[in-house]
């Protein structure tokens, strides 16, 4: 049995259902692997851990990957988990619907300075010719009070986790919400993907194959509506904090992002989206030179 | 002492809670900004078990972290008590590291130590030790000349003795600071869990924050408060006993 | 063994007026000597210079054949973490335990050995403090009002015993008790009134030893001599 | 004093940096995990101006925050020095609030005060004041009987006088703690900026953290370190002057 | 105005043996009285009981017509934040400034009014401390070795002046100086040796006042009487 460490990008919750399920249902051990699935946080970075040898596989967002490549890290992208970026904006339904980018004008928009949403929003602004005079930008933190108190109109959330919670919370008070998804306006910024170091990729191809097969099998199974109850039970074991109903809604939302339609194979690389992501980052001066990210994507 | 602490905490907490609820009513804020009393109670029943275990988990790290930081503070305080170059260098190091907020150091700590138990303990101790250090430094740097004179002039002074004399003369100050620093160890542990961990009440707070669930946070605060009150009550009782055992009614007493 | 000061001058850094001005004296041979003079004249200051606790003076202090000079004073304290007896034990050098027991007897300290220092009366504190100094190796011991809060009778017993037991050591006893100084000391360094023409002289004391028969007349003469020198 | 502090800081920082670079070389890590010296230098030129202004901005809040927390610590310390019910109640309140890590309290603070300057100042002072409080409490609760006796027996004792006597007798301990707490005020401000603000070096650190840009973090740490060294050097010099002015060579000195 | 103890018993909480056992005495009328006895016999303890600093005794202490009782001792300190002179000013009640100046003269404190307390010699510290007590309103002032570190000559001047200036007050002077106590005190409460049969007696002192002519014989007699009572 081969022991492996797998570092997630964030805490255990429904949006990592596949990772949890693959472990819980024994897909890893069937492949002869013993995988320690570990939670992540902004301070704990999968790419660092790969280099330091603390982890063998990990989850990182595309911008992390591109930045790391820019700085000479040797990593490989093995699978793109999210086909649609969960990074979206929520707004109340009693406000005019955002049908075109121009509808952003005059709104008070929340942005996490330094975060992905800033990069994405800046790109959208550039696309629509919106300048800082046309909108009001408010820096956001982790708590939603300004949005609750209607001080900010359009608030960045992860569609399948916080988005679900907020939606639920507001609906309880009789308020309906919409989500603003940048992909609908032509900005495809890639989100979480499974990565490993080049060393592992080159030296242990059979382990990589076994791991990825098991993992993707886990994800496929987890996203299968037939397994819903079972998946929710496994997630609940790890994530005791939210209630059952919320988790169910989160799982449905996650499914939309991971497997938008039955035809899409989980883990499919959207190479054009990767290229666009790199272009955006280069444009925003987040990297110094082109890194040709497509060269590290497993095809 | 102990019971007093607990019911005093309950008063404090109630005042806080009632103020929040008053604000809620006054500004007619909805449940998602400030949860109503019913919701809080409901959440309490829902998460009490888990949170209690989490808080106990945190507590165990707190105790250990406090021990480490006491050791650390005394180590650095004793080494840095002299006004020599080395003493001042040690102080500068200790001070500078402290000025760096833990959030900025965390990535470096994780790179160097991984993200296991050690990192969590280190972060907890780092937050707790500095205030201790300040007091220890202050105490250790102030000579007690009317006691020390004999040992100095007869050439018997060793650093251990010097430390013992100064610590003993300032026993009540030290016990105040040490039992007070328990709260800092707790806060430190929670912060460590917040950024590092996979367990403990700090972790639960992070998740609750992520869900913007103020009711859960209020319950976590309640548990933290009650546990720290008990722990501190115990420490203080212990401190009193040490003081009476060592019988410190000192110098000043008119004879 | 001799203690000599030549043209000693000393001023505290923050003061303008010197405390000790052009002081010269010589005390030869072991013995129980005294420093006497009005309050604030500079006795303690001189003692600290002799004990090398301060070196910012001009002139010379010769302490020939005296390697270990100890300075003790009546406001010292013992640490509080254990009884005075165990502190005494700890600071008694190898081989001096019989001496310790003897001194405890003479100083009448037996009943208080188990008490903490802070619980003692002033005179008890004085005595326990002095005993620990006597147990050390020393050539010159300066006792700055070390027995100030002890009653006269016991003080006499103590002084006579010290003279008996430590005949080969030099002592400088700083005290305000004229009779005592005159009776028991060999050489008495008398400081004049600071307002006066501020000289200092050495006067021979009666140097009584154990079992002495007081000679009232010569004692009165010595006392008068000292009073005139002040 | 001041210069010593600065070059001692430079030594500390260099040691830290060199260790990191050694680790980088030893494990042949990429610039992403630990930036190379060239990259650090380059980043330095790039961001120095902005970061310096940010750090000065932070500094201004720090100074204000420290003043607030000194006032707070003395206020609570003096009010809580008695072992009466009220004194112990005040202590329990102060301790409990401290046990709550700021990350958990922050949402409540933001709900109540918004996320402007006031919140930032409040968080900074809250982090800084507690260690001060511990020392102040310890000092204020210990009588100086040989000085206080006269005032008590003649019925002249007022609380102001009591506080003055105890503060004066422990002046060197207090100045150590106060000048040491500058680093805590700084850390507190940075944490506040980290979680709340859109300005200051703490904010810059957060952005750098999101971008996993350790080079920027290292530069921020450098600026924080150098500024805190200067500030603290000044405070210490001031403290020394106050001490010599008030001329504290106290009791113990053999007379 | 009288001070009376009846069957007074006092034991320190952590001790087994009582410090004061069945003590009864009566001192009538104003005057300069003394408490005398060997070190550790309980003088300070008694003083603190009289000054109501401790109330855990049995028996009665009657302090008739004496509302304000002050206890002063020789190890007190003045705060260090300003010179001793300005401290004196601050604690001098309205209307007593002329008295203050007079006392400063008598106590020879003029040259040190600008110094900080910690920089003074022991005798200087004693004197400045006592002066501030004398400036207060009081009916009974207990002076626990308050002049222990002052030279005898100045001490005499001080005591005589106090008797002169405060003739209508009661004083309890605790001192180890037999001659002084015998000469200047009116009634002397003498404690016997703790090991002895521990009684306590009141002996009449010579109660000399300013400009006295010493009567050597009767003084010797008093001293002998006291020595026998100890
Ligand atoms: N640390 C000091 N700084 C400044 N002046 C001092 C200091 N110590 C003593 N003095 C002054 O120096 C003079 C001599 O002091 P010293 O203590 O030597 O007197 P002394 O002869 O021992 O008097 P006493 O019999 O009262 O103890 C005094 O006027 C005193 O005020
Ligand atoms: N706080 C205390 N706790 C316990 N015992 C004490 C305390 N203070 C004094 N004693 C003991 O009580 C006895 C009497 O002490 P006290 O101070 O009254 O003596 P004193 O007559 O004033 O002696 P001296 O002349 O030496 O000052 C002593 O044996 C002393 O050890
Ligand atoms: Mg002296
Ligand atoms: Mg006494």
């Amino acid at each position: 049995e081969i022991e492996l460490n797998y570092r997630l990008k964030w805490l255990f919750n429904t949006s990592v259902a596949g990772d949890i399920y693959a472990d819980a249902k024994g897909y890893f051990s069937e492949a002869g692997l013993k995988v320690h699935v570990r939670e992540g946080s902004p301070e704990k970075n999968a790419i660092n851990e790969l280099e330091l040898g603390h982890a063998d596989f990990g989850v990182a967002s595309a911008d992390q990957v591109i930045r790391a490549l820019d700085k000479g890290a040797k990593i490989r992208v093995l699978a793109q988990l999210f086909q649609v970026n969960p990074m979206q904006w929520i707004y109340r339904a009693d406000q005019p619907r955002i049908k075109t980018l121009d509808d952003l004008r005059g709104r008070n928009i929340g942005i996490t300075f330094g975060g992905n949403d800033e990069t994405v929003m800046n790109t959208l602004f550039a696309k629509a010719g919106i300048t800082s005079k046309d909108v009001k930008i408010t820096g956001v933190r982790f708590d939603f009070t300004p949005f609750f108190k209607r001080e900010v109109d359009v608030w960045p959330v992860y569609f399948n986790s916080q988005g679900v919670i907020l939606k639920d919370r507001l609906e309880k008070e009789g308020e309906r919400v919409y989500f603003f998804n940048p992909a609908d306006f032509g900005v495809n910024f890639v989100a979480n993907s499974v990565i490993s170091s080049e060393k592992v990729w080159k030296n242990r191809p059979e382990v990589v194959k076994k791991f990825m097969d098991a993992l993707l099998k886990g994800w496929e199974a987890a996203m299968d509506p037939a397994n819903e109850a079972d998946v929710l039970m496994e997630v609940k074991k790890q994530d005791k904090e939210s209630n059952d109903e919320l988790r169910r809604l989160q799982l449905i939302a996650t499914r939309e992002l991971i497997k938008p339609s039955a035809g899409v194979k989980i883990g499919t690389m959207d190479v054009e989206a990767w290229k666009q992501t790199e272009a955006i980052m280069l444009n925003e001066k987040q990297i110094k030179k082109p890194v040709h990210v497509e060269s590290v994507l497993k095809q | 002492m102990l019971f007093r602490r607990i019911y005093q905490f309950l008063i404090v907490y109630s005042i806080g809670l009632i103020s929040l609820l008053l604000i809620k009513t006054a500004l007619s804020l909805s449940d998602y900004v400030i949860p109503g009393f019913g919701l809080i109670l409901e959440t309490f029943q829902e998460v009490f078990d888990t949170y209690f275990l989490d808080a106990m988990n945190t507590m165990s790290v707190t105790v250990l972290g406090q021990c480490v930081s006491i050791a650390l503070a005394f180590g650095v305080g004793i080494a840095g008590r002299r006004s020599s170059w080395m003493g001042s260098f040690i102080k500068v190091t200790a001070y500078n590291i402290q000025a760096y907020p833990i959030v900025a150091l965390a990535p470096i700590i994780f790179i160097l130590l991984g993200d296991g138990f050690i990192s969590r303990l280190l972060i907890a101790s780092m937050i707790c030790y500095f205030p201790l250090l300040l007091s220890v430094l202050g105490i250790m740097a102030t000579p007690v000349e009317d006691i020390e004179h004999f040992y100095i002039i007869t050439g018997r002074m060793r650093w251990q003795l010097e430390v013992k004399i100064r610590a003993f003369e300032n026993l009540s100050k030290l016990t105040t600071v040490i039992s007070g620093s328990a709260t800092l160890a707790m806060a430190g542990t929670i912060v460590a869990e917040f950024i590092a961990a996979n367990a403990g009440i700090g972790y639960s707070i992070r998740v609750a924050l992520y869900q913007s669930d103020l009711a859960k946070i209020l319950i976590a605060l309640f548990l933290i408060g009650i546990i720290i009150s008990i722990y501190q009550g115990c420490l203080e009782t212990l401190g009193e006993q040490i003081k009476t055992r060592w019988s410190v009614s000192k110098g000043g007493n008119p004879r | 063994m001799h203690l000599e000061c030549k043209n000693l001058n000393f001023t505290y850094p923050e003061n303008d007026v010197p405390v000790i001005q052009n002081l010269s004296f010589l005390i030869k041979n072991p013995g129980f000597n005294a420093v006497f003079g009005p309050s604030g004249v500079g006795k303690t200051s001189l003692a600290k210079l002799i004990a090398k606790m301060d070196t910012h003076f001009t002139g010379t202090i010769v302490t020939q054949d005296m390697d270990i000079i100890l300075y003790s004073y009546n406001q010292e304290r013992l640490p509080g973490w254990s009884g005075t007896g165990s502190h005494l034990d700890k600071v008694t050098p190898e081989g001096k335990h019989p001496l310790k027991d003897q001194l405890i007897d003479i100083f009448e300290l037996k009943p208080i050995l188990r008490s903490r220092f802070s619980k003692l009366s002033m005179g008890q504190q004085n005595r326990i403090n002095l005993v620990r100094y006597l147990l050390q190796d020393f050539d010159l011991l300066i006792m700055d009002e070390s027995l100030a809060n002890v009653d006269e009778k016991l003080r006499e017993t103590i002084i006579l015993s010290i003279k008996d037991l430590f005949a080969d050591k030099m002592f400088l006893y700083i005290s305000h008790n004229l009779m005592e100084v005159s009776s028991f000391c060999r050489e008495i360094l008398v400081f004049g009134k600071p307002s006066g023409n501020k000289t200092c002289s050495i006067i021979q004391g009666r140097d009584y030893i154990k079992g002495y028969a007081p000679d009232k007349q010569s004692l009165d003469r010595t006392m008068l001599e000292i009073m005139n020198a002040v």
Side-chain angles (χ1 to χ4, degrees), chain A, chain B, chain C:
Chain A
E1 210 174 45
I2 303 166
E3 273 206 46
L4 294 173
N5 285 326
Y6 177 39
R7 169 68 71 189
L8 300 181
K9 184 159 188 289
W10 189 242
L11 307 174
F12 285 139
N13 60 25
T14 322
S15 65
V16 295
D19 302 312
I20 294 173
Y21 204 62
D23 189 27
K25 285 290 132 181
Y27 294 120
F28 288 135
S29 39
E30 273 169 29
L33 305 174
K34 182 168 168 40
V35 179
H36 303 281
V37 183
R38 302 216 152 113
E39 292 176 281
S41 73
E43 295 83 6
K44 282 185 298 199
N45 177 317
I47 299 175
N48 283 352
E49 303 222 331
L50 290 179
E51 275 207 36
L52 291 160
H54 296 330
D56 306 282
F57 297 94
V59 176
S61 58
D63 65 303
Q64 283 181 314
V65 169
I66 291 168
R67 240 189 282 273
L69 291 172
D70 182 44
K71 291 193 177 146
K74 301 267 182 282
I75 47 177
R76 281 275 161 174
V77 181
L78 305 175
Q80 178 183 338
L81 289 175
F82 284 106
Q83 301 304 317
V84 179
N85 194 331
M87 175 80 263
Q88 302 185 7
W89 277 261
I90 192 171
Y91 60 102
R92 286 184 172 81
D94 57 14
Q95 296 195 338
R97 192 83 194 249
I98 301 171
K99 296 199 192 90
T100 67
L101 289 179
D102 277 334
D103 292 335
L104 289 173
R105 287 176 200 272
R107 311 239 181 158
N108 191 339
I109 300 172
I111 277 179
T112 319
F113 290 113
N116 279 340
D117 49 329
E118 185 184 19
T119 313
V120 171
M121 193 47 90
N122 281 345
T123 308
L124 290 166
F125 286 163
K127 236 179 149 130
I130 297 174
T131 64
S132 56
K133 280 187 227 107
D134 304 325
V135 289
K136 186 164 186 318
I137 301 293
T138 304
V140 309
R141 304 170 306 268
F142 44 69
D143 84 303
F144 304 99
T145 315
F147 178 67
F148 285 149
K149 292 167 92 175
R150 290 178 178 269
E151 285 160 7
V152 178
D153 309 321
V154 187
W155 188 270
V157 288
Y158 282 95
F159 173 76
N160 60 333
S161 52
Q162 297 159 310
V164 171
I165 296 170
L166 286 191
K167 187 164 173 243
D168 175 70
R169 198 83 61 80
L170 289 174
E171 277 172 357
K172 271 191 191 145
E173 303 281 326
E175 297 180 43
R176 298 212 326 106
V177 295
Y178 293 132
F179 287 91
F180 167 74
N181 180 1
D184 297 342
F185 303 89
V187 173
N188 278 305
F189 199 88
V190 180
N192 294 0
S193 302
V194 181
I195 57 169
S196 79
S197 65
E198 197 163 275
K199 220 160 68 192
V200 172
W201 160 260
K202 283 218 173 99
N203 299 346
R204 306 167 76 186
E206 71 299 338
V207 173
V208 173
K209 185 168 172 2
K210 275 184 194 167
F211 175 81
M212 286 312 294
D213 286 351
L215 183 68
L216 292 177
K217 204 168 135 199
W219 269 106
E220 289 288 357
M223 293 300 107
D224 186 347
N227 294 334
E228 187 174 283
D230 196 26
V231 173
L232 285 174
M233 210 185 67
E234 293 303 335
V235 173
K236 185 178 181 172
K237 282 185 196 159
Q238 303 291 340
D239 170 28
K240 301 185 187 68
E241 305 296 341
S242 40
N243 64 39
D244 299 341
E245 177 56 15
L246 272 183
R247 259 195 300 271
R248 199 180 66 79
L249 296 173
Q250 284 177 332
L251 186 61
I252 294 169
T254 304
R255 220 178 274 146
E256 282 177 45
L257 304 171
I258 301 270
K259 203 172 170 72
S261 64
V264 178
K265 202 166 159 288
I266 291 180
T268 308
M269 298 286 186
D270 183 348
V271 180
E272 285 313 308
W274 279 94
K275 284 184 181 164
Q276 191 190 4
T277 305
E278 181 180 336
I280 289 171
M281 289 181 67
L282 194 60
N283 194 40
E284 290 279 316
K285 298 208 170 51
Q286 300 217 353
I287 52 175
K288 296 200 172 68
K289 53 179 196 301
V291 296
H292 308 293
V293 66
E294 62 276 10
S295 64
V296 302
L297 305 181
K298 183 192 167 211
Q299 294 298 326
Chain B
M1 193 65 157
L2 185 56
F3 287 106
R4 188 154 92 172
R5 274 211 162 270
I6 293 173
Y7 75 71
Q8 280 177 338
F9 160 71
L10 291 178
I11 295 176
V12 174
Y13 186 83
S14 310
I15 291 174
L17 196 61
I18 291 169
S19 322
L20 269 184
L21 292 176
L22 283 181
I23 290 171
K24 178 186 165 72
T25 321
L27 305 180
S28 59
L29 298 171
S30 57
D31 266 6
Y32 53 66
V33 181
I34 295 177
F37 191 67
L39 183 57
I40 294 176
L41 224 60
E42 194 181 302
T43 317
F44 183 83
Q45 285 160 356
E46 203 175 290
V47 298
F48 178 79
D49 293 357
T50 359
Y51 274 28
F52 183 73
L53 291 179
D54 286 344
M56 290 317 291
N57 183 337
T58 300
M59 193 60 215
S60 61
V61 182
T62 297
V63 176
L64 201 62
Q66 201 186 359
C67 295
V68 172
S69 43
I70 290 172
L72 220 66
F74 272 83
V76 177
I78 289 165
R81 77 190 185 288
R82 305 221 167 278
S83 51
S84 65
W85 196 92
M86 203 55 210
S88 123
F89 184 70
I90 289 170
K91 267 194 292 194
V92 169
T93 316
Y95 281 28
N96 264 298
I97 291 177
Q98 187 57 32
Y100 298 157
I102 212 68
V103 282
L105 287 182
I108 300 177
I109 292 176
F110 292 135
I111 288 176
L112 299 181
L113 296 176
D115 73 329
F117 176 73
I118 292 292
S119 296
R120 193 173 155 199
L121 188 64
L122 181 72
I123 292 174
S125 335
M126 275 179 67
I127 289 182
C128 175
Y129 106 104
F130 192 67
L132 278 171
L133 172 66
L134 285 183
S135 289
V136 173
L137 262 181
I139 286 168
M140 288 304 156
T142 314
V144 187
E145 291 184 40
D146 47 1
I147 294 184
E148 291 172 14
H149 171 76
F150 171 79
Y151 297 99
I152 294 170
I153 203 152
T154 60
R156 286 170 188 279
M157 192 51 110
R158 305 285 169 271
W159 69 264
Q160 297 94 327
L161 185 63
E162 187 173 289
V163 167
K164 193 171 173 187
I165 290 173
R166 293 178 190 180
F168 187 82
E169 283 294 300
N170 293 282
L171 207 56
S172 77
K173 283 173 203 139
L174 281 178
T175 52
T176 305
V177 174
I178 288 177
S179 76
S181 78
T183 57
L184 284 168
M186 188 86 172
T189 310
I190 295 172
V191 169
E193 289 168 350
F194 193 88
I195 53 183
N198 4 49
I201 193 81
Y203 170 76
S204 302
I205 289 178
R206 177 162 212 164
V207 174
L209 269 185
Y210 183 65
Q211 298 169 350
S212 197
D213 195 336
L214 194 59
K216 282 187 185 165
I217 291 176
L218 287 174
I219 288 156
L221 292 185
F222 177 77
L223 281 169
I224 295 171
I226 200 107
I227 287 180
I228 200 76
S229 297
I230 294 174
Y231 180 45
Q232 208 156 43
C234 294
L235 279 185
E236 279 177 359
T237 313
L238 198 77
E240 283 306 316
Q241 274 173 6
I242 290 177
K243 274 194 283 182
T244 44
R245 186 84 49 85
W246 277 24
S247 156
V248 227
S249 89
K250 281 201 321 286
N253 216 347
R255 291 151 281 209
Chain C
M1 212 178 207
H2 83 236
L3 172 67
E4 184 173 12
C5 285
K6 281 186 244 173
N7 301 318
L8 196 63
N9 283 286
F10 176 70
T11 312
Y12 281 103
E14 58 274 7
N15 290 7
D16 328 311
V17 237
V19 177
I20 296 171
Q21 215 168 0
N22 229 354
L23 178 72
S24 301
F25 68 87
L26 168 66
I27 295 177
K28 264 192 239 165
N29 305 329
F32 198 83
N33 308 304
V35 181
F36 188 86
S39 166
V41 81
K43 302 181 293 297
T44 299
S45 310
L46 172 66
K48 288 203 255 179
L49 296 185
I50 294 172
K52 305 192 169 96
M53 290 164 62
D54 198 324
T55 49
H56 298 93
F57 57 85
T58 63
T60 34
I61 302 178
V62 184
T63 51
Q64 199 184 300
D65 294 330
M66 296 192 293
D67 293 331
I68 308 182
I69 303 175
L70 300 182
Y71 169 80
S72 73
Y73 63 108
N74 75 336
Q75 290 181 350
E76 286 177 76
R77 293 188 292 135
L78 265 68
W81 57 74
S82 57
T84 51
S86 72
H87 276 293
L88 267 195
D89 279 344
K90 219 168 260 159
V91 299
T92 306
E94 203 80 23
K96 291 211 181 178
H97 284 271
L99 177 62
K100 189 194 77 180
D101 295 334
Q102 204 179 348
L103 288 175
I104 285 175
D105 257 5
I106 297 165
F107 280 64
E108 301 183 1
L109 290 173
K110 193 143 260 149
I112 58 154
L113 288 181
R114 307 190 57 201
S115 306
R116 318 248 165 193
F117 186 79
S118 62
K119 306 277 178 192
L120 299 181
S121 81
M122 287 200 273
Q124 290 166 339
Q125 294 186 338
N126 282 182
R127 285 178 272 151
I128 203 98
N129 182 44
L130 184 55
V131 162
R132 61 177 182 162
Y133 277 96
L134 290 171
L135 286 170
Q136 307 308 310
D137 296 317
F138 64 89
D139 299 302
L140 168 58
L141 174 63
I142 304 175
M143 304 192 287
D144 194 352
E145 313 198 23
S146 294
L147 294 171
N149 309 99
V150 179
D151 59 286
E152 288 181 347
K153 223 163 146 187
L154 184 55
R155 212 152 64 191
E156 180 174 327
T157 321
I158 289 175
I159 292 174
L160 289 174
S161 307
I162 289 178
K163 293 181 70 164
D164 186 29
L165 289 169
F166 302 92
D168 57 337
K169 312 279 184 191
M170 189 185 280
F171 291 87
L172 274 187
Y173 181 60
I174 302 182
S175 160
H176 284 298
N177 195 315
L178 176 60
M179 169 106 73
E180 190 175 78
V181 164
S182 316
S183 313
F184 304 117
C185 296
R186 203 161 57 80
E187 300 193 60
I188 303 160
L189 179 67
V190 182
F191 278 96
K193 243 203 148 74
S195 50
N197 49 354
K198 202 167 190 177
T199 49
C200 122
S201 40
I202 290 208
I203 288 167
Q204 297 302 119
R206 306 306 323 150
D207 204 11
Y208 290 150
I209 54 167
K210 244 183 193 171
Y212 69 97
D215 170 3
K216 237 172 171 297
Q217 272 191 341
S218 52
L219 182 60
D220 277 350
R221 216 176 319 118
T222 308
M223 281 166 63
L224 198 68
E225 206 177 334
I226 295 177
M227 289 313 291
N228 289 336
V230 171

